[in-house]
Each structure stands twice: as C-alpha cells, then as structure tokens.
Amino acid sequence: MDANFYDFLDRMRNPASLDLVRSIKSFIVSISFYAANPENDAKRVQDFFSTMEAAIMEHPLWEAATAQEIDSAMEGLEKYVMTKLFSRTFSSSPEDAKMDLQISEKIQLLQAFLKPEHLDIPPLLCNEASWLLAEKELLKINAFKSPREKLLCIVNCCKVINNLLLNASMSENRVLAGADDFLPLLIFVTIKASSPLCHFADHSNLRTLLSANPPQLHSNLRFIQLYRRQAKLVSEAAYYFTNLVSTKSFLLDLNAKSLSMDEIVFEENMKAARQKNKLTPKEPLSASEAMKSSQDHKYQVPSEKMQDKETSGSNYPYMEAEAGDLTVRDVEILLSTYKDVVAKYTNLSRAVRRHPFSKTEIPVSSVEGTSDTLSQLEGTGAPSLPGG
C-alpha cells in the first residue's frame, strides 16, 4: 500500500476523526440501498468525494495541512471507498462483460499474425525489451482495485513507450514523440500483452484458455473513467488514458483497411487464427464471473497434467504438484508469482516497521448503528477504518 493510504488510515484512527469515519461508513452503506447503475453510482461517488474534500479541508486534523497533504488524504479516501465498493462498481453490467470478451477474442486472433509493419511501426522502434516492459506494466492493471492505481498502470506502460520514442529520436536525430508514432506502438503493445485466464465456456466444464490481453480492458477503462476523481484525470494521465481508449476503439473496429495489409490476406489470417485457437461463440461471462476472473488472474492456469492435482483451495493450484509435473510454462508462471509475492512481502514489512500497531483506535461501539451492516462489507482487500 502507498504512503497516502497509510497516512489516511492513521488519521482516521485518531479519535478526533470520528465524524469523518461516520460519514465514510454511512456513504458506503447507503449506496447499497440503490439499484446498481454505473452512471448513477459514479455521480454519487464523485459528489461524495467533493463533499469530503471540503470537510477534510475544514477539519482540525488538517488545520495546517498543505494542498499536497489534502490531496494525499483524498487519494487515500478514494482508494478506501472504491476498494469497498469494487464488487459493485467494476464490470457491473452484462454489457461490460460482453465487451470485454469481444475485445479479448479479437486480440487473441490478431496475436496470431499481426506484425509491427502492419501498423506502420518503423524498424528503429522495434525494441522487444521495451515492448515487454510496457506489456508487463499494462498487465498489472487487474492486480488493483482503486482507480488511481489502475490508471498508474496505464501511465507507466505509456511512459515506457514514450521513452522508447525519445531514445530513438536522440539516436536517429529526428522527432518521433508525436501521436502518429505513439499510438501504433500502444496498439501493438496492447495486442501482444498476454495474460492467460481459465474460462469455463460451457456446461461440460470444458476448459477453454482465453488470452485476455490485458484482462477486461473495457471494464478497466470504464471503471477509471467513472470513479477516478475528475480533478485527477487531467494532464499527462488524461492524455495516456485517452490513447488507450482510442486503442480499444481501434481494436473493436479493426479490419484490413485499418492495417497495411491486403483484405484477402487479412481475412485468410483471421480464418487461420480462428481455426488455430478453435474459438467458438460463447456466452459472455456474467458480471460476477468476470470480476472473479479479474481478481484471480494472477493465479495462472497450470498444465493439463496438473489439473487433477489442484487442492480444494483453487487459488493455490501447485500446492500438491511434484517437480515432474511441471512444464516449462509452469516454471515461468511460478517464477513470476514468486517475484510478486516477495515484492508484496517486502513492501508490507517496510510498512509494518513504519507503522507499529500501537496506534490508538476508536472502539467498535463508538461508531453507532453501523457495525452490523459494515461487517458484511469487509474482506474486500482494504484495511478497515476504525469501528469496522
């Protein structure tokens, strides 16, 4: 967790913040009284952020705070609220799940044959190392539940691409940082990014491996657009975000005319890709199924030989595996997971050392009339505010 979030939680543990804690918890409970609707939910959330920003600026705990400290508090608030509301607000409609699946299948087909020259990417920008780094940044997007952190994944991906353009410009003594050079690279990186997900396509439990690249692209973009504080969706972040939205639109409408490719050749390649991937029409994932896939995507699909050895806890598919069961692909997945676990453990250890658990907390009973309802909202991945 970032420093903004820890500072926010620390201040909320101060007894003087009880009025703010009540307001936050009351809002989280109250939104469940309304029928889920992305646009209406987004308006309620954005209005609440505006109200809370004014309340925080006038609060004694932030009496001498700088504009940066107020902004940090709001970032912490956004992360807390949206983590608690994630299951309601992310990929919240059947249309979202349908669009995610449509984009995923289109990308999977394009992966089979698309080359840089088809997007008019010049050879001097063909840098596999930079592409891979950009892909990895983009694929981190489903590891987070807050709009800010998801947006940062997009920004970091785009910065890698921008650095590639700048380095190429300096080496070739020419300007290459314009949108005409940037967007094709982002499109190519988005297509080539790979994150296999296990998807049960029919009632026979036939496992169909889909390459959702990046996972739930449409839902992630919509989540950021609706729930990122509007004052922060500006400048560089807004530019990069807009480019990825344009990439999504390009991919949905992509055909032979979109590429430097003969139409007959394009159709033949698409047909061959369909046959190779054996893609058949499937019902899109429901909103809850799509969200579950999103949350579990970091636990990649093991080889077929190991499927029968999964433990009852499907989040740990390698627990009963033996060395001889592993394929080369499994080793790559395990190494990636190991690095992720070590990084998270290291960050958590540092955070614990900085924030000992001797802080004064508000007792549960002090938050009147909310504890029973709030107990149903826990377990969403974010630490609780005092009293819940």
Side-chain angles (χ1 to χ4, degrees):
M1 298 177 193
D2 54 39
N4 292 339
F5 193 47
Y6 271 119
D7 182 68
F8 169 75
L9 292 177
D10 274 348
R11 294 193 189 229
M12 290 300 103
R13 291 186 180 106
N14 190 311
S17 71
L18 181 58
D19 55 335
L20 297 179
V21 171
R22 283 174 170 163
S23 295
I24 295 168
K25 291 189 171 183
S26 176
F27 173 74
I28 293 172
V29 172
S30 69
I31 202 168
S32 66
F33 298 157
Y34 302 94
N37 179 286
E39 284 73 23
N40 292 342
D41 285 351
K43 185 179 186 307
R44 291 187 182 97
V45 168
Q46 295 292 348
D47 289 347
F48 176 69
F49 287 157
S50 297
T51 300
M52 285 299 297
E53 184 170 17
I56 287 173
M57 291 175 68
E58 296 174 358
H59 200 276
L61 284 178
W62 281 271
E63 185 176 8
T66 63
Q68 184 177 355
E69 289 172 328
I70 297 294
D71 185 65
S72 294
M74 290 303 300
E75 296 289 26
L77 175 66
E78 181 191 276
K79 179 172 180 175
Y80 182 84
V81 170
M82 294 316 303
T83 298
K84 293 295 183 184
L85 297 178
F86 187 79
S87 61
R88 176 188 173 101
T89 56
F90 183 81
S91 191
S92 56
S93 71
E95 290 75 20
D96 289 339
K98 183 177 179 180
M99 185 70 74
D100 286 329
L101 184 60
Q102 183 180 348
I103 296 171
S104 173
E105 291 188 347
K106 186 72 168 286
I107 290 177
Q108 187 178 12
L109 296 176
L110 294 171
Q111 281 186 330
F113 65 88
L114 196 76
K115 294 181 173 56
E117 54 264 30
H118 297 142
L119 292 167
D120 297 324
I121 297 174
L124 77 159
L125 296 179
C126 294
N127 186 312
E128 292 283 352
S130 293
W131 292 347
L132 181 60
L133 181 57
E135 291 165 16
K136 287 184 175 180
E137 291 297 329
L138 188 58
L139 285 170
K140 292 176 182 178
I141 196 167
N142 268 19
F144 302 103
K145 294 183 178 180
S146 78
R148 172 180 174 269
E149 289 169 321
K150 286 181 179 291
L151 182 59
L152 280 176
C153 294
I154 297 172
V155 170
N156 290 339
C157 166
C158 291
K159 282 184 175 180
V160 173
I161 295 172
N162 205 44
N163 287 338
L164 171 59
L165 289 168
L166 292 174
N167 290 335
S169 297
M170 290 187 288
S171 63
E172 297 292 324
N173 195 25
R174 53 184 285 199
V175 177
L176 285 169
D180 290 342
D181 297 299
F182 178 85
L183 188 57
L185 279 172
L186 180 58
I187 292 169
F188 190 75
V189 162
T190 302
I191 291 172
K192 290 302 181 182
S194 180
S195 177
L197 291 174
C198 189
H199 170 51
F200 294 91
D202 55 40
H203 296 293
S204 65
N205 283 345
L206 175 64
R207 287 178 172 89
T208 303
L209 193 62
L210 291 182
S211 186
N213 312 295
Q216 298 175 281
L217 178 60
H218 166 77
S219 290
N220 276 297
L221 291 173
R222 185 160 167 76
F223 182 73
I224 294 168
Q225 185 176 37
L226 290 176
Y227 298 107
R228 179 62 172 140
R229 284 190 298 140
Q230 296 303 301
K232 306 302 292 185
L233 198 55
V234 295
S235 190
E236 180 185 58
Y239 173 76
Y240 290 144
F241 178 78
T242 301
N243 271 274
L244 192 56
V245 171
S246 298
T247 294
K248 185 197 79 170
S249 299
F250 179 86
L251 292 173
L252 282 171
D253 299 331
L254 186 146
N255 54 36
K257 294 180 180 178
S258 311
L259 305 172
S260 296
M261 182 181 292
D262 180 78
E263 187 169 355
I264 295 176
V265 175
F266 175 79
E267 292 300 333
E268 288 176 347
N269 281 324
M270 291 290 281
K271 182 179 179 180
R274 289 189 186 97
Q275 292 175 343
K276 179 180 178 180
N277 292 307
K278 297 181 180 178
L279 285 177
T280 56
K282 295 179 286 293
E283 289 297 319
L285 294 172
S286 67
S288 60
E289 289 171 333
M291 184 192 69
K292 182 65 167 59
S293 292
S294 164
Q295 293 173 338
D296 292 345
H297 85 280
K298 54 180 170 291
Y299 300 109
Q300 308 290 352
V301 183
S303 60
E304 286 297 321
K305 186 177 180 181
M306 293 169 54
Q307 292 290 351
D308 295 333
K309 292 197 173 187
E310 293 183 2
T311 65
S312 57
S314 59
N315 280 349
Y316 308 99
Y318 297 98
M319 284 297 290
E320 295 184 359
E322 298 177 1
D325 295 330
L326 300 178
T327 66
V328 173
R329 180 175 172 278
D330 293 325
V331 173
E332 182 180 354
I333 292 170
L334 281 168
L335 178 59
S336 176
T337 304
Y338 168 77
K339 290 179 179 179
D340 184 53
V341 169
V342 171
K344 289 179 179 177
Y345 174 79
T346 302
N347 291 335
L348 181 60
S349 297
R350 291 172 181 167
V352 169
R353 287 196 296 270
R354 288 199 305 268
H355 298 272
F357 295 101
S358 59
K359 304 286 184 181
T360 301
E361 299 206 7
I362 301 172
V364 174
S365 59
S366 66
V367 184
E368 299 174 356
T370 62
S371 58
D372 289 342
T373 307
L374 287 169
S375 65
Q376 300 173 10
L377 299 174
E378 301 305 332
T380 57
S384 302
L385 290 179

